[in-house]
Amino acid sequence: MAARIDLSHKVHVLTKKEELDSVRLPGKVAVVLDILFATTTMVTALAHGATDIIPVLDEAAARAQGKRHAEGSFVLAGELYAETLPGFAHPAPLSLLEHGVAGKTVVYSTTNGTVALTQCTGASSVYCGALLNAGAIVERVLERHPRETVLIVCSGSGNNFNFEDFYGAGCFVERLAERLGPAADLSDAAKAARLVYRNARTPPALLDCRVGRMMVAKGLAREVEFACRVDAFPVVPALEEGRVRLTP
C-alpha cells in the first residue's frame, strides 16, 4: 500500500510575542504582525524605496548600529512605550515617509514589533506582515512553503493581547483558508482570529481599540486609517541576516 500523503497545511496564531517561548520555531514559517505600527511602517518604508530595515531591540542598539553607517545613508526611527525616541524619526508609517527613506537603511527600534521579529530568527523563514501586504505574503508562503506550519505572530504590547494584531492575523488566516480550502488545518486561535476579522469593520474597529485610541489621542488617526488599507502594497519583506529586505 502506498504511503499516505498529508496535504494539510497547519496555520496557527500566537496572540502575543511572549507565546514564542512555548513554540518550536525550526521548520516553521513565521509571519510577524505589529499593525500599529511597527510592521506596517516597515512594509511602507520598503515599498517606498528604503533599501533595508535593521530591527533592533532598543535605543542603545539602534545608536550603536547607526555608528556603523555613513552619515546620510541611514535613518534612525523608533519609539518606546509609544513615545518617539529623542533625536529619532517618528516611527509611524506616513510620518517616516515624510522624513524621507528612499535609498536609505532604516535602523528601527520599537517596544514590541522589532522585538518580535528578532525573537523569530529560529524559524525557517520570517516575514514582515501587515494588512497592507497580506495578499502578497500569503501567495509567497503558499508558493515557497507548501508543507511548513505557518505561525502568525501577533506582537502584542508588553505581554498584553492587542486587538489590532489579532484582527490582522484574522485577515491572513482568511486569505490562507480561501486559497487552501479543505487543506487548511487551522488552530483554535486561528479560527478565533478569522471570526474577529469577519465581524469587525475597519477603520472604526482599529480606531476604537486600546492602542488605536492611544494613537488618536496623539493625533495619529490618519496613521491608523492608513494601516487599515488591505493589499495596498504587493511587497514581501523577509528578515534575513538581521535585516528586513524585499524578496523577489
Side-chain angles (χ1 to χ4, degrees):
M1 180 182 294
R4 178 180 177 272
I5 299 175
D6 185 2
L7 295 178
S8 67
H9 200 133
K10 297 186 180 200
V11 180
H12 182 42
V13 170
L14 301 182
T15 64
K16 53 188 178 180
K17 62 185 177 301
E18 287 77 12
E19 293 177 15
L20 284 164
D21 293 339
S22 64
V23 175
R24 291 187 67 257
L25 286 171
K28 296 181 175 69
V29 175
V31 180
V32 179
L33 306 180
D34 186 341
I35 303 299
L36 301 178
F37 293 106
T39 58
T40 295
T41 297
M42 288 187 262
V43 169
T44 302
L46 290 167
H48 286 80
T51 56
D52 56 2
I53 295 170
I54 303 176
V56 296
L57 291 174
D58 55 28
E59 177 183 355
R63 293 190 185 280
Q65 185 64 236
K67 292 178 180 178
R68 301 172 189 163
H69 293 76
E71 185 176 350
S73 69
F74 70 99
V75 175
L76 288 179
E79 53 79 23
L80 182 64
Y81 306 126
E83 296 294 333
T84 304
L85 292 168
F88 283 48
H90 197 288
L94 296 175
S95 299
L96 185 56
L97 287 187
E98 290 168 5
H99 183 86
V101 296
K104 296 183 179 181
T105 291
V106 178
V107 181
Y108 195 47
S109 173
T110 68
T111 311
N112 299 292
T114 56
V115 175
L117 272 170
T118 58
Q119 288 178 341
C120 285
T121 53
S124 63
S125 296
V126 183
Y127 292 105
C128 177
L131 292 170
L132 299 174
N133 68 338
I137 293 282
V138 165
E139 292 305 314
R140 178 63 55 85
V141 167
L142 295 177
E143 173 192 347
R144 299 197 181 177
H145 311 282
R147 295 292 179 270
E148 294 171 68
T149 294
V150 180
L151 293 177
I152 304 172
V153 182
C154 300
S155 295
S157 178
N159 204 17
N160 291 316
F161 170 93
N162 276 7
F163 176 89
E164 69 277 7
D165 292 345
F166 201 60
Y167 175 90
C171 178
F172 278 79
V173 174
E174 181 82 316
R175 298 297 182 83
L176 285 163
E178 286 174 352
R179 294 282 281 105
L180 289 167
D185 181 2
L186 308 181
S187 70
D188 283 355
K191 291 176 181 177
R194 181 173 61 171
L195 282 173
V196 167
Y197 174 72
R198 286 178 171 178
N199 288 283
R201 293 291 174 265
T202 56
L206 265 62
L207 288 166
D208 189 49
C209 68
R210 180 181 63 86
V211 175
R213 291 195 306 271
M214 182 192 311
M215 296 307 167
V216 170
K218 292 178 175 292
L220 300 176
R222 186 173 68 112
E223 302 275 14
V224 176
E225 291 166 353
F226 176 82
C228 296
R229 297 174 57 198
V230 178
D231 294 337
F233 305 126
V235 298
V236 181
L239 178 66
E240 298 175 348
E241 298 179 346
R243 294 173 183 254
V244 180
R245 296 186 175 100
L246 294 185
T247 59

